[in-house]
Amino acid sequence: MSRSAHPAGPRHADVLPEGHYTAPPADLNDLDPRVWARTVRRDADGVVTVGGMSVAELKEEFGTPAYFLDEDDFRARCRAWKDAFGEDADVFYAGKAFLSRAVVRWLHEEGLNLDVCSGGELATALAAGMPAERIALHGNNKSEGEIRRAVEAGVGRIVLDSFQEIARVAHIAEQLGKRQPVQIRVTVGVEAHTHEFIATAHEDQKFGIALADGQAAEAVRRVLKLDALELTGIHSHIGSQIFDMAGFEVSARRVVQLLADVREEHGVELPEIDLGGGLGIAYTSDDDPREPHEIAKALGEIVRHECEAAGLRVPRLSVEPGRAIVGPTAFTLYEVGTVKELEGLRTYVSVDGGMSDNIRTALYDAEYSVALVSRTSDAAPMLSRVVGKHCESGDIVVRDAFLPSDLAPGDLLAVPATGAYCRSMASNYNHALRPPVVAVSQGEARAIVRRETEEDLLRLDVG
Ligand SMILES: *Cc1c(COP(=O)(O)O)cnc(C)c1O
């Protein structure tokens, strides 16, 4: 991330304050196609459209704040992942990024599988007709009830995360008279974030069973002894918002080494490996994510190379993108309520949502971009902080961004790349009503998750 001052500078600021920002774009009205959903355009009248519908019409029908999701883009991304990995691999969409029944149907139609990590996600997947054998259940502390429902439904994969869970899943499968396919999630000693990965201090986390000190090999031994479990492979997920393939390379090498050790000790070649998700997307113009075909090529080559070196048959590969599929397909639309200038610092722009619809900025300093979408403006850029309406000073949506200096109450702002981990992490803080998710395609818009109402809130409050 570069930190540089714009020579022209915002109004009232000779010296720009600290922050994560680059110079404002030459034209604030431009929409960088890397951070906006595929069908987003600015029309001749200056109003932005998605799926052929203008934000003015969308606001009229659905209000603000609201998430608008480009369905054609979502489906195109599913197909791109599916095509890139081909017939010898499976693409599991990570449902925790954003899940609804419509999304499950799109995934089903586009031939993707689905990762769930709770009873609620499993219920949504099954309610929308995802075949159970295409569902994988994750989680570091699945309840007995969740495991039972998953085994009963016949999910295609349960990813085991601890020694206790090996016994727990085996016991439940035995009771139900089933043989449950499972993978073991290992911690490979790599932790990857955004632009770097760390290959030390890795086992210190709650997920998975460590490869180091023989824990994972011991887990394999235990699972292979249990008739109620069918060990199909090894799973590794190294982090999120990753741009650098080097972390995956180390992960693949260590997982394949475990497969070789398993063959050596038990004489069995496990048929599957799962390298997880975590592929990065562009939140700002500084981010430069890889395309699915580049990722598929890189991962495929690493796995093939490592298997050849170890003399192993190449296992069936699976990957689990969540953010990389849904993240770029949606933006959040807000209405500006107040504009407050702080002399020599920046301008605080308050919108009608905030940390209740996007917690990522407060949670881990996530960076976003933002644009004025209800009109164009030729006014000078002003350094802005887009904040919400909640009772927390950390209630920030976009920490540093340039917006036109004639911004006024009633203008509509859109924050792109909010498809993943925004609605799914939304809260009712301050009794905010969680916004709808509206799917837009070819001139038509429909809420796939409706806006919460005060009646919804009061219904839960049993008095
Ligand atoms: C969260 C998660 C994913 C998806 O991560 P993204 O960053 O959304 O791609 C995939 N696999 C597992 C096991 C996860 O926990």
Side-chain angles (χ1 to χ4, degrees):
M1 300 298 113
S2 46
R3 296 170 179 220
S4 62
H6 176 52
R11 290 176 309 162
H12 314 305
D14 298 327
V15 182
L16 284 168
E18 266 291 287
H20 286 253
Y21 49 85
T22 52
D27 184 348
L28 284 180
N29 301 309
D30 284 348
L31 301 172
D32 182 345
R34 274 176 305 174
V35 296
W36 292 88
R38 237 163 265 201
T39 68
V40 170
R41 310 265 179 281
R42 196 182 282 278
D43 270 3
D45 64 358
V47 180
V48 169
T49 67
V50 58
M53 295 204 55
S54 80
V55 292
E57 295 172 278
L58 292 170
K59 181 202 156 50
E60 186 69 24
E61 187 172 350
F62 299 97
T64 52
Y67 308 97
F68 293 99
L69 191 158
D70 182 341
E71 178 182 340
D72 296 344
D73 191 10
F74 185 98
R75 288 176 179 274
R77 286 175 194 276
C78 289
R79 284 195 292 273
W81 277 86
K82 186 90 185 112
D83 293 347
F85 279 85
E87 289 303 311
D88 300 328
D90 296 303
V91 180
F92 285 74
Y93 169 77
K96 69 178 198 260
F98 172 64
L99 197 64
S100 77
R101 286 188 286 186
V103 164
V104 174
R105 283 193 293 271
W106 300 339
L107 294 168
H108 190 185
E109 287 166 13
E110 302 299 343
L112 268 67
N113 295 4
L114 175 60
D115 271 359
V116 298
C117 60
S118 71
E121 289 181 5
L122 177 62
T124 304
L126 293 173
M130 179 60 87
E133 65 272 14
R134 282 169 50 192
I135 300 174
L137 177 65
H138 279 274
N140 68 300
N141 186 18
K142 310 166 187 77
S143 73
E144 291 203 3
E146 287 168 333
I147 296 167
R148 186 173 301 277
R149 275 155 65 201
V151 175
E152 258 169 358
V155 300
R157 177 183 297 176
I158 294 182
V159 182
L160 300 171
D161 197 274
S162 68
F163 287 104
Q164 284 96 343
E165 198 170 80
I166 293 172
R168 209 170 278 157
V169 174
H171 180 66
I172 291 168
E174 201 164 51
Q175 281 182 333
L176 294 171
K178 296 214 182 193
R179 186 148 196 262
Q180 176 61 48
V182 295
Q183 291 190 343
I184 294 171
R185 175 160 176 181
V186 302
T187 323
V188 292
V190 171
E191 204 180 308
H193 298 286
T194 311
H195 294 288
E196 71 213 21
F197 80 99
I198 308 157
T200 55
H202 37 269
E203 270 87 25
D204 193 2
Q205 57 143 314
K206 72 170 185 171
F207 292 111
I209 300 177
L211 268 183
D213 65 31
Q215 298 278 302
E218 175 57 20
V220 170
R221 245 170 251 136
R222 292 200 196 173
V223 173
L224 287 176
K225 282 199 192 108
L226 295 162
D227 290 337
L229 303 182
E230 178 195 351
L231 182 60
T232 62
I234 301 297
H235 180 284
S236 163
H237 172 73
I238 56 171
S240 62
Q241 188 60 359
I242 304 165
F243 292 93
D244 185 349
M245 298 306 286
F248 286 102
E249 209 163 301
V250 177
S251 169
R253 199 175 309 134
R254 296 187 181 169
V255 167
V256 170
Q257 183 57 49
L258 178 62
L259 292 190
D261 294 347
V262 168
R263 186 188 53 187
E264 179 75 18
E265 183 179 342
H266 305 280
V268 288
E269 284 195 38
L270 299 178
E272 298 172 354
I273 66 172
D274 187 318
L275 292 178
L279 287 313
I281 64 167
Y283 285 102
T284 75
S285 297
D286 292 338
D287 296 324
D288 190 16
R290 304 274 191 102
E291 291 295 321
H293 68 267
E294 297 173 277
I295 295 161
K297 185 162 175 284
L299 291 184
E301 276 171 10
I302 297 164
V303 172
R304 259 193 311 281
H305 178 263
E306 294 301 320
C307 288
E308 260 164 41
L312 286 167
R313 236 175 300 144
V314 179
R316 187 170 181 85
L317 176 65
S318 44
V319 287
E320 306 175 306
R323 186 194 316 270
I325 290 179
V326 71
T329 67
F331 61 78
T332 314
L333 188 68
Y334 299 105
E335 186 176 84
V336 174
T338 70
V339 179
K340 203 181 277 183
E341 291 175 32
L342 301 192
E343 278 288 325
L345 284 171
R346 70 188 95 238
T347 300
Y348 279 77
V349 177
S350 294
V351 294
D352 50 356
M355 65 192 295
S356 57
D357 57 73
N358 188 348
I359 191 65
R360 294 187 65 257
T361 307
L363 194 60
Y364 32 65
D365 240 348
E367 289 185 46
Y368 282 94
S369 7
V370 58
L372 170 61
V373 290
S374 46
R375 62 183 174 91
T376 51
S377 168
D378 296 325
M382 66 176 177
L383 181 60
S384 309
R385 178 160 289 176
V386 179
V387 296
K389 59 179 288 170
H390 295 287
C391 306
E392 283 283 337
S393 41
D395 172 27
I396 296 168
V397 180
V398 185
R399 191 170 300 279
D400 297 294
F402 287 94
L403 285 166
S405 50
D406 62 352
L407 198 71
D411 280 334
L412 298 180
L413 294 183
V415 174
T418 57
Y421 306 107
C422 287
R423 181 58 179 80
S424 68
M425 287 186 164
S427 78
N428 290 120
Y429 181 45
N430 294 138
H431 283 202
L433 305 170
R434 286 177 297 174
V437 180
V438 177
V440 190
S441 171
Q442 297 170 25
E444 285 185 32
R446 68 187 169 107
I448 57 172
V449 178
R450 69 159 167 80
R451 185 183 300 283
E452 247 171 355
T453 63
E454 287 173 5
E455 290 75 60
D456 291 326
L457 287 186
L458 288 169
R459 207 173 296 140
L460 295 175
D461 179 340
V462 294

